[in-house]
Amino acid sequence: MSGRLVYLDNNATTPIAPEVREAMMPYLTNLYGNPSSMYSFAGEVADGLKKAQASVAALLGATPEEITFTSCGTESDSTAILSAVRTFPEKRHIITTRVEHPAVKNLCENISLFTGHKYRLTQLKVDEKGMLDLAEYEAALSDDTAIASIMWANNETGVIFPIAEMAKMAKKRGILFHTDAVQAVGKIPIDLASLDIDFLSSSGHKLHAPKGVGVLYVKKRTPFTPFLIGGHQERGRRGGTENVASIIALGKASELAATHIGQENSHVRALRDRLEQGLLARIPKAILNGDKDNRLPNTSNISFEYVEGESILLHMNRQGICASSGSACTSGSLEPSHVLRAMGVPFTAAHGSIRFSLSVYNTQEEIDFVLEALPPIIASLRKLSPFWKEGL
Amino acid sequence: MWEYTDKVQEHFLNPRNVGEIDKPDGVGDVGSLACGDALKLTLKIEGGKIADAKFKTFGCASAIASSSALTEMVIGKSLEEASKITNEDIANYLGGLPKEKMHCSVMGREALEAAIANYKGLVLPMAQGEVVCECFGVTDLEIIRAIKESHLRSVEEITNFTKAGGGCGKCEEKLRAILQKTVQGEVAQPAAADKPKRMTTLQKVKKIEEVLEREIRPVLKKDGGDIELLDVDGDIVTVAMRGACGTCAKSQTTIKEYVEKKLRELVLESLIVEEGRE
């Protein structure tokens, strides 16, 4: 390896911003007090937490009391969905989509399974562009529905769902609405005060804070039953001593995200488009996955037909380029991505899909490097492929 | 990230014998795009020997490396020698493969067999079996063969080696049944003919646990019962009956007539099963 690192896998995780690292350092050294303690040495720590809570709330257009810190996006998802199920035990129906992250998909499937299918699960279909059918959603909403859980933006394709509208439709029927916004927060503007969303999950490490901290937003007056039961931390909403340094970090990262959101939609979007258009122009039989217009500004998912994703990633890795694939071989399972399959992407393309996800730290020089590096990789693998014929 | 040996990486980055032989004497075409890997092997055969071999592969690094290794292994070998190559041989040649990737080496062996059969004008019996896994088109004959050759003992291992069961998972019960039948057949025959096998205590305990889990527990559970292994001392196996079995008047009969018989049949002829008190 040449020592160069081109990191285009920001939907998997992001580098910690230098300002974030700096903000959390005092809490890893001198400021070690337990925020629940009764002396001013610890009070300083509690103040730090409050400030972080306010910063997260500001980014989301929420009030600080609506913000609870968790350990990760998955915990936030589980807390929200299980809270709704426990609050309304008589309601036995859950609505979600076929393209959710496993944190929601597997949880909902398990609730159905573990209760001996006493829960009915509706997994909404998507079309070939990865978009939902709102008529199907509306028809699924029923008096028996405990919660609808719909991701804001898809992690693999970046496709954005009409969350504002869907939350409103649920509200009209008196149904709780949760959104897994792990990929959306910091990339698109969110103003929860003006929306009918009851629960929102987000994660620190997707927006330049460290791993191990997440956020659950619970709208004021939404009924809530905690998941982790213990002490009085987080006003009884989540027991367990707070992960102070990481929460401080997430507060700082939220401040940065609020200032960067314009850049996400100008600088990052321009780089993503340059990469995408360049690859589609230089490589034959390359197909864009997901709705071109309804997408996060940082994500591009492209299938290179007749070659397999893991092979592409390993060759890219040799040149220090990091990305992901929806191929079967990279997942440890034998089937390609459930998202691409739900969209009906043919196998010839699903196995050769690569997801590029950018951040504000990427540069045009990096993108141009990838544009030079990738075409020969695809060409060399196609030479090996029994399905590839020149001129296809 | 997968942990590939240096040799796998080297064969992946510099694959040998890529391409297709013009007017080949034997062609082996296995796998498919839908399955996520496919291999086309072409052979030049002169005087009963493989004079040249070339491949084209669609798949991950281990599929490409396995194909490349296969061509190096067969060139210069007689057809008889070549047909003795197993998937384990291919994996060993590469210094091993991650267990989830063993099916790549199986694909290599299958392509070789198909190419030799094609040369001889034969139809492979494997393809004639009954398809068990519809997602990946794997037949019962292929599964039975993998169980026997690679000594597979769980459904997960069958999936790692043949891909069967790795898709929708609907065939899991069928795979379990095939495994059970094949393993029983295997153990019952040599056990009768050979002298008692030597097993370490650890092997014995593991095997007993496995048979309890796979064979015995499901049967007991049907009647609301269960069984727990308390101890293994030499050939004395101490168990406790749980659930409905724990209070059943016939639990002694179940232990002697069913549990002991099963363990003797599938683990070791000399085992004695007793009910334990805690």
Side-chain angles (χ1 to χ4, degrees):
Chain A
M1 224 189 270
S2 58
R4 171 199 274 271
L5 184 78
V6 178
Y7 189 76
L8 300 179
D9 204 14
N10 288 279
N11 286 10
T13 195
T14 58
I16 298 175
E19 301 91 325
V20 169
R21 196 179 56 226
E22 208 171 296
M24 74 190 287
M25 277 319 272
Y27 296 85
L28 291 171
T29 50
N30 302 330
L31 295 175
Y32 54 81
N34 187 323
S36 299
S37 299
M38 280 303 137
Y39 27 79
S40 47
F41 171 59
E44 203 179 328
V45 178
D47 287 346
L49 288 186
K50 268 197 188 139
K51 190 168 167 265
Q53 202 176 22
S55 303
V56 172
L59 177 67
L60 299 175
T63 61
E65 303 72 47
E66 292 174 317
I67 301 300
T68 298
F69 290 106
T70 65
S71 66
C72 58
T74 299
E75 188 195 321
S76 300
D77 289 335
S78 275
T79 304
I81 294 169
L82 293 174
S83 168
V85 163
R86 287 183 185 137
T87 307
F88 300 111
E90 71 288 355
K91 295 191 174 190
R92 295 297 178 85
H93 177 223
I94 297 171
I95 301 176
T96 183
T97 75
R98 293 192 187 177
V99 296
E100 291 299 309
H101 187 275
V104 169
K105 187 171 183 282
N106 290 350
L107 174 71
C108 293
E109 286 171 2
N110 272 303
I111 291 173
S112 170
L113 206 65
F114 287 152
T115 54
H117 298 284
K118 283 187 183 132
Y119 275 80
R120 205 155 52 81
L121 180 62
T122 300
Q123 292 174 299
L124 300 171
K125 292 194 290 283
V126 293
D127 65 14
E128 72 285 355
K129 288 184 164 181
M131 299 294 284
L132 293 169
D133 174 4
L134 287 193
E136 189 198 4
Y137 172 64
E138 184 157 37
L141 294 168
S142 84
D143 295 339
D144 196 34
T145 309
I147 190 165
S149 177
I150 315 285
M151 68 195 332
W152 201 312
N154 187 271
N155 49 312
E156 294 189 26
T157 58
V159 166
I160 297 169
F161 289 146
I163 291 302
E165 204 179 335
M166 295 179 85
K168 195 181 226 173
M169 289 160 76
K171 168 96 174 178
K172 230 189 229 170
R173 300 287 305 262
I175 296 166
L176 291 179
F177 188 88
H178 166 249
T179 182
D180 176 344
V182 163
Q183 297 295 345
V185 170
K187 292 174 198 157
I188 52 176
I190 291 176
D191 180 35
L192 290 169
S194 63
L195 299 170
D196 296 312
I197 293 168
D198 294 294
F199 302 102
L200 175 142
S201 308
S202 123
S203 167
H205 74 105
K206 310 284 192 197
L207 68 160
H208 306 290
K211 293 151 191 75
V213 63
V215 167
L216 175 64
Y217 158 89
V218 184
K219 200 176 199 63
K220 206 174 171 183
R221 284 192 281 276
T222 292
F224 182 77
T225 310
F227 176 53
L228 279 192
I229 295 168
H232 55 85
Q233 294 90 351
E234 301 280 355
R235 302 165 317 289
R237 298 200 146 182
R238 194 230 186 220
T241 300
E242 298 87 344
N243 180 2
V244 173
S246 294
I247 291 173
I248 301 290
L250 180 48
K252 185 71 193 172
S254 298
E255 286 171 29
L256 287 177
T259 64
H260 283 162
I261 207 148
Q263 245 182 302
E264 284 280 350
N265 288 283
S266 54
H267 168 74
V268 176
R269 184 185 292 274
L271 289 183
R272 191 273 312 267
D273 289 347
R274 184 182 180 89
L275 175 71
E276 185 170 289
Q277 285 157 14
L279 290 176
L280 294 175
R282 287 163 196 234
I283 301 173
K285 292 282 165 187
I287 306 161
L288 179 64
N289 294 314
D291 191 88
K292 193 166 183 295
D293 304 314
N294 256 310
R295 259 191 311 165
L296 293 175
N298 80 318
T299 309
S300 181
N301 188 313
I302 302 178
S303 283
F304 303 101
E305 282 193 283
Y306 309 109
V307 286
E308 196 279 330
E310 184 203 288
S311 296
I312 304 173
L313 290 184
L314 286 177
H315 274 291
M316 284 165 61
N317 177 51
R318 302 250 315 153
Q319 306 201 40
I321 306 169
C322 311
S324 291
S325 168
S327 94
C329 289
T330 54
S331 62
S333 83
L334 292 170
E335 295 229 314
S337 136
H338 71 282
V339 175
L340 299 182
R341 277 189 306 139
M343 290 161 61
V345 172
F347 279 111
T348 52
H351 285 295
S353 72
I354 301 289
R355 176 191 71 187
F356 304 92
S357 48
L358 285 60
S359 81
V360 290
Y361 297 106
N362 288 120
T363 64
Q364 183 169 323
E365 195 244 325
E366 288 178 326
I367 298 304
D368 290 345
F369 175 71
V370 177
L371 287 176
E372 288 304 315
L374 203 51
I377 291 174
I378 303 297
S380 74
L381 287 170
R382 279 180 175 165
K383 251 185 212 152
L384 290 180
S385 171
F387 304 111
W388 177 253
K389 305 229 164 24
E390 284 310 324
L392 251 179
Chain B
M1 205 174 166
W2 298 114
E3 283 189 19
Y4 288 131
T5 63
D6 290 345
K7 195 132 188 211
V8 171
Q9 296 196 37
E10 207 266 313
H11 272 266
F12 165 62
L13 293 170
N14 306 299
R16 332 292 202 254
N17 308 308
V18 175
E20 273 183 53
I21 289 172
D22 196 30
K23 294 188 199 122
D25 299 304
V27 181
D29 226 335
V30 294
S32 77
L33 263 175
C35 294
D37 45 23
L39 163 55
K40 184 175 189 179
L41 179 72
T42 47
L43 301 178
K44 182 103 213 141
I45 296 166
E46 280 165 6
K49 274 196 169 179
I50 299 178
D52 197 8
K54 285 198 189 302
F55 81 93
K56 279 199 161 184
T57 291
F58 163 80
C60 57
S62 55
I64 291 170
S66 295
S67 313
S68 168
L70 172 71
T71 57
E72 286 219 317
M73 290 167 77
V74 299
I75 292 174
K77 282 211 167 68
S78 72
L79 287 182
E80 200 196 339
E81 286 168 333
S83 58
K84 285 186 191 139
I85 291 173
T86 65
N87 69 291
E88 308 272 348
D89 293 336
I90 299 172
N92 291 339
Y93 184 90
L94 290 166
L97 286 172
K99 66 179 171 33
E100 295 86 350
K101 297 282 190 177
M102 284 303 288
H103 59 84
C104 296
S105 63
V106 174
M107 181 170 77
R109 192 212 63 210
E110 284 174 355
L112 176 63
E113 272 175 2
I116 293 175
N118 172 259
Y119 168 70
K120 292 180 174 169
L122 300 172
V123 177
L124 275 181
M126 291 301 154
Q128 294 171 340
E130 187 195 334
V131 172
V132 176
C133 167
E134 291 185 2
C135 295
F136 295 111
V138 190
T139 67
D140 55 348
L141 295 177
E142 289 169 298
I143 294 163
I144 291 167
R145 176 166 177 186
I147 293 171
K148 285 185 175 165
E149 282 189 359
S150 303
H151 309 288
L152 309 183
R153 288 296 179 267
S154 69
V155 171
E156 193 190 338
E157 284 180 334
I158 294 178
T159 307
N160 287 338
F161 275 73
T162 66
K163 286 186 147 194
C168 68
K170 274 189 203 139
C171 61
E172 200 183 316
E173 279 313 308
K174 279 190 196 163
L175 294 178
R176 206 178 305 281
I178 293 174
L179 179 69
Q180 204 166 321
K181 222 171 143 190
T182 312
V183 171
Q184 270 177 11
E186 259 189 349
V187 177
Q189 284 163 11
D194 297 349
K195 51 184 181 275
K197 279 183 290 181
R198 287 176 62 91
M199 284 173 122
T200 67
T201 306
L202 184 66
Q203 283 171 335
K204 215 183 287 174
V205 173
K206 275 193 171 160
K207 191 87 192 141
I208 291 170
E209 286 273 27
E210 201 183 302
V211 172
L212 284 178
E213 183 55 45
R214 195 184 64 226
E215 300 269 351
I216 296 172
R217 212 162 265 143
V219 172
L220 299 182
K221 280 197 169 158
K222 273 188 195 151
D223 293 319
D226 203 348
I227 188 166
E228 191 185 336
L229 180 63
L230 297 179
D231 197 10
V232 178
D233 185 6
D235 281 342
I236 313 281
V237 181
T238 317
V239 298
M241 303 304 273
R242 301 280 186 226
C245 295
T247 51
C248 174
K250 285 195 289 190
S251 74
Q252 264 305 316
T253 320
T254 309
I255 287 178
K256 283 291 164 194
E257 289 302 317
Y258 178 65
V259 180
E260 190 179 85
K261 264 193 180 165
K262 263 279 176 249
L263 290 177
R264 283 183 173 184
E265 184 192 337
L266 297 177
V267 183
L268 202 60
E269 191 55 55
S270 50
L271 292 180
I272 299 161
V273 181
E274 290 182 349
E275 186 165 21
R277 306 247 172 271
E278 296 138 291

